[in-house]
Amino acid sequence: MEEIKKWIIDNYLNEKLSFNSCLFISGVSGSGKSYLINKIIKDMDLFLISINSNNCSSSAQLIDLLMKSFISSLIQILTNNNSKKIIVIDDFDVLNSLDNTIKLALYNFILNNQKIKKITIIIIINNEIIKKIGEIKKKCKIIEIKKLGEYEIFNILKTYKEDIELGEALKIISETDYNINEAIKMINNLRFNNNDNFFDFNDIYLNNFNRNHLRKLLLKK
């Protein structure tokens, strides 16, 4: 974590966009890459601009989102938020599967816009894909995230279920093979299943359905 924080701090000293402005965070699926980056962003009080498979599925969309990110943010202006911006491109392996020209589009965007004021870019990617992204991997820094240990995952799970016992956590960790995403899903399902007032999908057709319950139901499914 400290290595990534230091890279971000050092990177903000540079004024113009370059390949040095871009950091790849790699690791096996479920190693906590996204969790770690989001925690760092929160700790450093940065203004997050998120690009992922929910809002991007092609090279054209990626370039459009990147260009808009480099323009003054309306949200920041309206909220008087002067925090430094950071762009996080998550699900890069998914984006690449949707459009295999995305890696080239990102490379060309950085190459052709080195006169504009920079924003730090972090790209989250699985180890299996990092070898297949072409020239950009030779230009940008790569930091590999190792799988989290038992006590690290235990402490994360406690943020989702404060009263979780170590034994219960270790069982979940073992069953999910140290996959932090699956462990969190399991914690959520356990919590929702223990809710006596929980409902099923038929409840969404009621006039007075509980939106918070709907959110939980969607997470459960």
Side-chain angles (χ1 to χ4, degrees), residues 12 14-15 17 23 29 44-45 48 52 109 118 164 183:
Y12 280 121
N14 301 319
E15 290 294 324
L17 179 67
L23 171 66
S29 181
M44 298 182 70
D45 193 28
L48 170 63
N52 53 53
F109 176 83
K118 61 161 284 301
I164 189 171

Side-chain angles (χ1 to χ4, degrees), residues 97-148:
S97 68
L98 295 172
D99 183 348
N100 62 13
T101 67
I102 274 185
K103 51 186 176 290
L104 181 60
L106 177 61
Y107 179 93
N108 287 333
F109 176 83
I110 297 173
L111 181 67
N112 298 324
N113 290 282
Q114 297 193 21
K115 292 184 179 180
I116 64 176
K117 188 174 181 179
K118 61 161 284 301
I119 299 177
T120 297
I121 302 172
I122 290 182
I123 303 163
I124 301 174
I125 188 169
N126 284 339
N127 278 349
E128 296 83 2
I129 304 298
I130 195 71
K131 299 176 182 178
K132 304 176 183 179
I133 59 173
E135 284 296 312
I136 194 167
K137 73 175 181 291
K138 301 177 183 178
K139 300 279 189 178
C140 304
K141 184 177 179 63
I142 300 172
I143 295 179
E144 182 178 353
I145 302 300
K146 303 297 183 182
K147 270 194 173 183
L148 297 177

Side-chain angles (χ1 to χ4, degrees), residues 159-160 184-185 187-189 191-193 195 197-201 203-204 209-221:
T159 66
Y160 290 85
I184 290 171
K185 286 180 184 177
I187 284 290
N188 284 330
N189 284 338
R191 189 171 72 242
F192 300 153
N193 287 337
N195 187 340
N197 296 320
F198 202 66
F199 66 109
D200 61 30
F201 265 105
D203 290 354
I204 68 175
F209 76 91
N210 187 305
R211 292 181 182 276
N212 188 49
H213 282 182
L214 176 60
R215 181 184 66 82
K216 292 180 178 180
L217 179 62
L218 292 174
L219 284 172
K220 180 184 178 186
K221 296 297 180 182

